[in-house]
């Protein structure tokens, strides 16, 4: 009986989070990000503004907060450690993306579209990418005291994440018609060709 309570609590928390996020995205896309208030999101989700802020500390988090970093790190670190670094990072990112459900991909598409049309979100997107770059560097370097290796991983992670961002933009601009996985492979191939050329 004790074991069931945390599971139920977690399910309720996940349901509330999902409901808030869905209403926020709907309102942002219908009315515009700047024209929609957190109070309006709370009202649509039938929760208090305090509850919204408990789950999403800032308005930008309603769009940008996600749980993808752990999946990305897992897919990158499970790749063979002797694989060339750009290939290891690129293949890990592709595998992580391809594991998203169709619904998660649709949410990602709406997020990218919203970010492209909203200056405040574009600025926060850079911050989010920086955090992911730090997490990848820590995952691959750990307690390594080799500053050159750490810098190499940092640069490679930044290059791969920027390439994936370019693929996301094209994917959104072309209304998700090209496969995101194919676009990611294309941009990462460009990076590999340019770095070896």
């Amino acid at each position: 009986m004790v074991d069931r309570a945390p599971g139920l609590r977690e399910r309720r928390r996940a349901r509330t989070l999902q409901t808030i996020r869905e209403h926020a995205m709907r309102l942002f896309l219908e009315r515009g990000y700047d024209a929609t208030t957190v109070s309006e999101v709370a009202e649509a989700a039938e929760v208090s503004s305090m509850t919204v802020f408990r789950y999403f500390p800032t308005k930008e988090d309603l769009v940008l907060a996600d749980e993808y970093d752990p999946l990305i790190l897992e897919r990158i670190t499970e790749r063979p450690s002797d694989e060339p670094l750009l290939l290891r990072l690129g293949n890990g990112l592709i595998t992580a993306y391809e594991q998203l459900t169709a619904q998660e991909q649709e949410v990602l598409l709406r997020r990218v579209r919203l970010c492209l049309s909203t200056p405040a979100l574009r600025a926060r997107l850079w911050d989010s990418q920086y955090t992911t770059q730090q997490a990848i560097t820590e995952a691959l370097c750990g307690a390594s005291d080799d500053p050159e290796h750490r810098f190499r991983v940092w640069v490679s992670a930044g290059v791969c994440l920027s390439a994936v961002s370019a693929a996301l933009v094209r994917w959104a601009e072309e209304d998700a018609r090209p496969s995101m996985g194919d676009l990611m492979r294309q941009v990462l191939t460009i990076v590999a060709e340019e770095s070896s050329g």
Side-chain angles (χ1 to χ4, degrees):
M1 195 73 170
V2 175
D3 291 340
R4 290 183 184 178
L8 178 60
R9 194 168 26 252
E10 279 306 306
R11 285 195 302 276
R12 284 184 179 154
R13 183 185 185 287
R15 219 173 13 250
T16 302
L17 186 144
Q18 185 65 25
T19 299
I20 294 169
R21 181 178 281 147
E22 284 174 3
H23 284 288
M25 291 298 294
R26 178 181 58 76
L27 291 172
F28 293 156
L29 290 168
E30 286 174 3
R31 303 177 183 179
Y33 176 80
D34 293 324
T36 305
T37 67
V38 172
S39 296
E40 290 169 331
V41 171
E43 184 178 341
E46 298 182 347
V47 297
S48 68
S49 294
M50 255 336 224
T51 299
V52 173
F53 284 120
R54 190 177 319 123
Y55 287 91
F56 302 96
T58 68
K59 184 179 175 183
E60 291 90 349
D61 288 329
L62 285 162
V63 179
L64 296 173
D66 61 48
E67 298 81 36
Y68 298 144
D69 279 4
L71 176 63
I72 290 170
L73 297 179
E74 193 174 311
R75 293 302 159 260
I76 289 172
T77 56
E78 72 187 10
R79 305 280 314 168
S81 59
D82 60 349
E83 191 173 28
L85 186 55
L86 281 176
L87 200 57
R88 184 179 187 191
L89 292 167
N91 286 334
L93 286 163
I94 289 168
T95 303
Y97 173 79
E98 290 182 334
Q99 290 185 327
L100 298 181
T101 65
Q103 182 183 7
E104 289 169 329
Q105 290 181 28
E106 178 58 33
V107 169
L108 180 60
L109 178 61
R110 287 185 285 159
R111 289 172 62 193
V112 173
R113 286 178 176 154
L114 201 51
C115 288
L116 292 176
S117 65
T118 311
L121 292 173
R122 284 198 306 271
R124 272 292 304 275
L125 199 56
W126 160 248
D127 187 51
S128 177
Q129 184 171 313
Y130 180 84
T131 301
T132 302
Q133 189 175 352
Q134 283 182 311
I136 290 171
T137 302
E138 286 308 311
L140 293 184
C141 294
S144 170
D145 57 359
D146 180 352
E148 291 308 311
H149 174 66
R150 182 172 287 273
F151 186 62
R152 184 179 184 85
V153 171
W154 173 260
V155 170
S156 298
V159 166
C160 286
L161 290 170
S162 292
V164 167
S165 292
L168 283 167
V169 168
R170 183 167 181 188
W171 181 61
E173 287 175 344
E174 296 187 15
D175 203 26
R177 278 188 294 276
S179 155
M180 183 56 198
D182 288 345
L183 279 173
M184 288 173 75
R185 286 182 186 85
Q186 182 182 350
V187 295
L188 292 166
T189 298
I190 292 169
V191 166
E193 288 172 352
E194 291 300 318
S195 65
S196 63

